[in-house]
Amino acid sequence: GRAWSSRGMEASVGSCWAPLPAWRGLLRGLLLAVLAVGCCWGNSVERKIYIPLNKTAPCVRLLNATHQIGCQSSISGDTGVIHVVEKEEDLKWVLADGPHPPYMILLDGNLFNRRVMLQLKGTSRVSGLAVAVAKPSPPQGFSPGLKCPNDGFGVYSKDYGPQFAHCNKTVWNPVGSGLSYEDFDFPIFLLEDANETQVIKQCYQDHNVPREGSVPEYPLCAMQLFSHMHAVTSTVTCMRRSSLQSTFSINPEIVCDPLLDYNVWSTLQPINSSGKVDPEKEVIIVATRIDSHSFFWNIAPGAESAVSSFVTHLAAAEAVHKASDIHSLRRNIMFTFFQGETFDYIGSSRMVYDMEKDKFPLRLDNIHSFVELNQVALRNDSILWMHTDPVSRMNESVEVQVRNLLDILSSSSVGANVTLQEAGYSQPLPPSSFQRFLRARHIPGVVLTDHKTAFQNRYYQSMYDTPENIRMQYPEGLSPEEMLEYVTDTAKSLAEVATVVARALYRLAGGANNTSAIQADPKTVSRMLYGFLIKMNNSWFQSIIKPDIKGILGDVPQHYVAVSSPVNTTYLVQYVLANLTGTVVNLTKEECLNPEKTPSSEKEMYEYAWVQGSLDPNSTSRVPYCVRSTVRLSKALSPAFELRQWGSTEYSTWTESRWKEIRARIFLVASKELEIITLVVGIAILIFSLLATYFINAKADVLFSIPRDPGAVAY
């Protein structure tokens, strides 16, 4: 009986343990499922804990030969309790009274000035800053740029016009605070979306506002900002580190990049881009800048500081090309758009360098005269000021040519709603690309501006240099397409300036016909202002670019030079110029993309572009075509980087630091006591889990032993 009973018992136990491998597979599957659910649940928990701020712009670190400027966070981001500062009295809580430092300040845009920022810079009670855009723009003006822009890199120095050096004669940007050129050791972000700003304020109101005189209780609303920068000290240091990494490392970690892009240029009469212009051939250069800057990365609307001038320039180029006898003119005209001028004349210094080194089709000796369009949208009483260099005019031959240039410009304004006046013989040149050419050679030239002395622009190099700053206004209720075509008063005004410039250029080039037919088109100016200031992704820009770069058409235009090139502005200026001055040619797509295969294409003289074209009215497809023009790009990288002279005082040395991530978020933070308790409990649970695991593992042979097969029992 015992034998049977024993066998029966063992059979019974065996039958319980027989499916164990299946159970193990099931457990493994359940474990994977739990991990997957846990991962998803973790993401869900993160979304419940954090509110990301998606429409922000950071202040980043820039470096030159001697300094670092801008902002950065710690490597793991900076966190602080939010405090809203809407008036200066609110700073007292942050700087002295508040019991929960460090603080993340939500700062009203009207308080974002040098005085307030230097107070915050000097305390450890501030871990970061979020700036709300002031609406309307600060009436007193706001310019984080320098009072003397590009000081030390223009023509005036101790050796050339020392009385004009360092803006001794004229302070061009009197409202300039220099804030963009300070170095902050905490992150500063711009809040671009008013809705996100309101979310932060509501979180602050719900959790952080003191009630009935008592300090706010936990949990408190906090913000975390990530903007750690890799580069430190100066361009010399970061470029040396990057160079060593590139030399000795298989996977080099570059810490900074030079600011660079491309200049855009074209000529009235085609020239051989791979050859050299005849030394006897004279060329008139008309120039302007196409970049701007502000305190925050890639926030550079530049309405007055850049767009007003290069749009006027483009309109003038179109008007001159409409003259019937342009190919028989005695002198050629070169239309030039410089990139990186905000940062110590990157584009113009590179073009001068290339001309001196015979790396450009033109030489400096080919330049007959120089006409530059600077800020031109804010004219008082329709007056346009003509600035010349008093030092070079001491040379008699230069004086004669400058006087002729001024006379032609003045007479070209007869009958137009523009009055040209000379700024004065004792007045130096304002910050301008022309100064870089004067450093190399005495060239007759003039800079046209809307200001006689200090800038009219109260928002120079700031986020407030917007369409409103140049008085662009549209009627209510217009669709985007209607706004594109609507001719604003600003467009009419700039078209008048473009007309005067075009007529003067025609006469300077030797044109003898009546100039009344040379007229800039206000409608074209309107389209350009809308595209470069309000919405890049519009039907006109879509129709004039190549299909493979249609991704550049973002919504809100910005004109920062950056480190990846070409930037959107460069591409668009290139294709707008080609559209306005080029010719539609009857070539197939294959012939247009490979013009060297067509004998009559004159590839050395022209550039060809296969553009998208407008939408067919009867379908959703486009009607592409081929444009032939003289528009080309040339490198806008400071010669300092070509020469590896990273500490140069002759050329721009600006670089931009690299970073890993830029992001911002808000959340509720618990008290330190609760965090410590949570940590202690967590450690206790961890220790208990380790001990339990150890004992279970030690007794595993008992707890998880598998009985022997009953058939193997010996009698």
Side-chain angles (χ1 to χ4, degrees):
R2 289 184 58 183
W4 179 90
S5 175
S6 174
R7 282 201 305 273
M9 189 186 304
E10 288 184 13
S12 175
V13 172
S15 65
C16 285
W17 284 100
L20 188 62
W23 278 105
R24 284 177 173 170
L26 181 59
L27 285 169
R28 190 181 296 114
L30 285 171
L31 179 61
L32 291 173
V34 167
L35 287 173
V37 170
C39 180
C40 297
W41 183 74
N43 290 336
S44 176
V45 168
E46 182 177 359
R47 286 196 297 270
K48 289 178 180 178
I49 294 175
Y50 298 105
I51 299 176
L53 304 173
N54 298 316
K55 293 188 177 179
T56 61
C59 160
V60 303
R61 176 168 289 165
L62 300 174
L63 310 99
N64 65 8
T66 55
H67 292 81
Q68 64 180 28
I69 63 172
C71 323
Q72 76 154 355
S73 74
S74 62
I75 195 166
S76 57
D78 289 326
T79 304
V81 174
I82 295 170
H83 190 73
V84 176
V85 175
E86 296 181 324
K87 53 186 183 296
E88 285 206 43
E89 292 75 20
D90 297 335
L91 288 171
K92 190 169 182 291
W93 181 270
V94 173
L95 299 176
D97 298 345
H100 305 119
Y103 285 96
M104 276 283 176
I105 298 175
L106 174 55
L107 188 69
D108 184 89
N110 288 297
L111 294 177
F112 185 54
N113 55 53
R114 185 178 182 83
R115 186 181 69 259
V116 170
M117 291 302 297
L118 291 186
Q119 287 185 64
L120 302 178
K121 185 178 180 180
T123 178
S124 60
R125 290 174 60 89
V126 174
S127 60
L129 205 66
V131 180
V133 178
K135 291 186 178 180
S137 301
Q140 72 276 15
F142 173 75
S143 172
L146 298 171
K147 293 183 183 295
C148 189
N150 291 359
D151 186 25
F153 290 86
V155 69
Y156 302 114
S157 65
K158 61 183 177 62
D159 302 318
Y160 188 99
Q163 68 273 30
F164 305 125
H166 311 300
C167 297
N168 287 336
K169 183 77 174 178
T170 305
V171 177
W172 296 106
N173 186 31
V175 298
S177 66
L179 199 58
S180 287
Y181 296 84
E182 291 288 332
D183 183 37
F184 296 92
D185 60 359
F186 53 78
I188 305 176
F189 278 53
L190 177 69
L191 300 173
E192 298 182 77
D193 187 350
N195 292 329
E196 289 189 344
T197 304
Q198 192 54 45
V199 167
I200 298 170
K201 287 183 176 180
Q202 189 61 53
C203 186
Y204 166 79
Q205 291 287 340
D206 293 343
H207 299 278
N208 296 11
V209 174
R211 309 292 179 189
E212 300 175 357
S214 62
V215 298
E217 296 182 356
Y218 287 98
L220 296 172
C221 191
M223 182 184 295
Q224 190 172 29
L225 301 178
F226 298 84
S227 63
H228 181 67
M229 300 287 129
H230 294 175
V232 294
T233 309
S234 68
T235 288
V236 176
T237 301
C238 79
M239 288 299 292
R240 183 178 66 246
R241 289 177 178 175
S242 296
S243 178
L244 288 171
Q245 284 274 341
S246 300
T247 304
F248 297 109
S249 176
I250 298 174
N251 297 307
E253 184 178 336
I254 307 301
V255 296
C256 68
D257 300 284
L259 295 181
L260 63 95
D261 204 80
Y262 288 88
N263 299 321
V264 182
W265 63 278
S266 74
T267 52
L268 187 66
Q269 301 163 352
I271 62 173
N272 189 335
S273 61
S274 59
K276 297 293 176 206
V277 173
D278 191 305
E280 305 301 317
K281 183 67 176 177
E282 293 182 320
V283 179
I284 300 155
I285 291 184
V286 54
T288 191
R289 68 176 57 189
I290 58 174
D291 69 298
S292 187
H293 180 44
S294 81
F295 186 87
F296 298 100
W297 183 75
N298 205 30
I299 300 294
E304 161 73 340
S305 61
V307 178
S308 69
S309 55
F310 75 69
V311 161
T312 304
H313 186 171
L314 288 163
E318 180 190 34
V320 174
H321 273 79
K322 289 179 179 177
S324 58
D325 58 339
I326 57 173
H327 293 290
S328 61
L329 294 177
R330 189 166 73 256
R331 300 185 184 98
N332 203 348
I333 301 174
M334 178 173 158
F335 303 97
T336 315
F337 301 81
F338 291 120
Q339 260 287 16
E341 295 301 274
T342 303
F343 295 95
D344 299 336
Y345 306 118
I346 293 173
S348 55
S349 63
R350 179 54 186 260
M351 184 170 283
V352 171
Y353 174 82
D354 286 345
M355 288 180 174
E356 290 177 322
K357 301 298 181 183
D358 280 343
K359 296 180 179 180
F360 196 79
L362 267 68
R363 301 177 180 88
L364 290 169
D365 292 340
N366 292 115
I367 301 174
H368 169 267
S369 53
F370 199 105
V371 177
E372 180 169 352
L373 284 158
N374 214 307
Q375 304 178 79
V376 294
L378 299 177
R379 305 197 313 278
N380 282 335
D381 301 322
S382 299
I383 297 174
L384 200 62
W385 295 96
M386 300 182 291
H387 299 263
T388 57
D389 173 41
V391 179
S392 61
R393 287 181 70 177
M394 293 179 185
N395 180 299
E396 189 176 341
S397 64
V398 173
E399 167 63 19
V400 170
Q401 293 177 76
V402 170
R403 179 49 55 193
N404 178 58
L405 178 57
L406 296 175
D407 290 343
I408 289 176
L409 278 163
S410 297
S411 60
S412 297
S413 67
V414 174
N417 189 26
V418 180
T419 304
L420 276 89
Q421 292 188 16
E422 192 174 347
Y425 193 86
S426 61
Q427 177 82 13
L429 287 168
S432 51
S433 307
F434 179 40
Q435 292 199 32
R436 291 301 303 193
F437 284 80
L438 278 176
R439 283 176 71 129
R441 184 173 177 269
H442 281 181
I443 298 169
V446 62
V447 178
L448 302 177
T449 73
D450 55 19
H451 55 88
K452 182 180 181 181
T453 53
F455 295 162
Q456 297 277 18
N457 186 6
R458 294 173 299 137
Y459 305 109
Y460 182 74
Q461 289 186 9
S462 94
M463 56 189 169
Y464 300 113
D465 192 6
T466 57
E468 292 76 20
N469 186 34
I470 60 172
R471 305 166 190 147
M472 276 179 65
Q473 295 179 328
Y474 294 91
E476 292 286 336
L478 293 185
S479 67
E481 199 64 28
E482 290 169 335
M483 290 177 71
L484 175 67
E485 302 295 336
Y486 182 80
V487 179
T488 62
D489 290 340
T490 303
K492 294 174 184 175
S493 174
L494 293 179
E496 289 166 353
V497 175
T499 297
V500 171
V501 171
R503 291 174 179 176
L505 291 172
Y506 173 77
R507 290 180 57 191
L508 280 168
N513 293 343
N514 190 311
T515 58
S516 59
I518 297 177
Q519 189 81 33
D521 184 3
K523 188 172 182 179
T524 301
V525 175
S526 289
R527 287 177 162 188
M528 289 191 285
L529 288 174
Y530 179 80
F532 284 114
L533 286 175
I534 296 176
K535 188 177 182 181
M536 278 188 169
N537 194 11
N538 61 73
S539 60
W540 186 48
F541 278 5
Q542 289 168 7
S543 69
I544 64 174
I545 64 171
K546 290 181 176 180
D548 57 341
I549 61 166
K550 60 185 178 183
I552 68 169
L553 297 177
D555 280 335
V556 182
Q558 305 295 347
H559 308 293
Y560 173 60
V561 59
V563 296
S564 56
S565 58
V567 295
N568 301 9
T569 305
T570 303
Y571 271 130
L572 289 170
V573 168
Q574 177 188 6
Y575 286 103
V576 168
L577 184 59
N579 178 268
L580 298 180
T581 63
T583 307
V584 177
V585 290
N586 187 24
L587 294 178
T588 64
K589 181 179 180 179
E590 179 66 25
E591 292 170 334
C592 191
L593 295 176
N594 302 281
E596 64 279 357
K597 296 180 180 179
T598 306
S600 61
S601 68
E602 298 180 283
K603 179 71 172 85
E604 297 79 14
M605 310 294 282
Y606 296 100
E607 290 290 316
Y608 291 81
W610 185 257
V611 300
Q612 289 195 122
S614 302
L615 285 170
D616 190 324
N618 300 319
S619 71
T620 56
S621 61
R622 295 185 176 275
V623 184
Y625 56 92
C626 187
V627 175
R628 185 185 72 182
S629 71
T630 61
V631 181
R632 295 184 173 92
L633 300 179
S634 66
K635 192 177 290 186
L637 169 66
S638 172
F641 298 101
E642 292 279 315
L643 301 169
R644 296 176 68 85
Q645 296 175 358
W646 303 319
S648 173
T649 56
E650 170 73 10
Y651 299 112
S652 170
T653 55
W654 285 105
T655 55
E656 181 186 273
S657 173
R658 289 195 179 185
W659 58 81
K660 186 175 182 180
E661 62 175 346
I662 299 286
R663 60 191 175 99
R665 61 189 185 182
I666 64 172
F667 56 96
L668 294 181
V669 63
S671 67
K672 293 293 181 186
E673 293 79 5
L674 181 58
E675 288 179 345
I676 292 171
I677 291 170
T678 305
L679 177 63
V680 170
V681 170
I683 292 172
I685 292 172
L686 175 63
I687 293 171
F688 175 78
S689 301
L690 292 173
L691 290 172
T693 303
Y694 172 77
F695 283 115
I696 291 172
N697 187 57
K699 302 294 182 180
D701 55 338
V702 175
L703 296 173
F704 304 112
S705 61
I706 302 174
R708 289 174 297 172
D709 187 343
V713 176
Y715 291 96

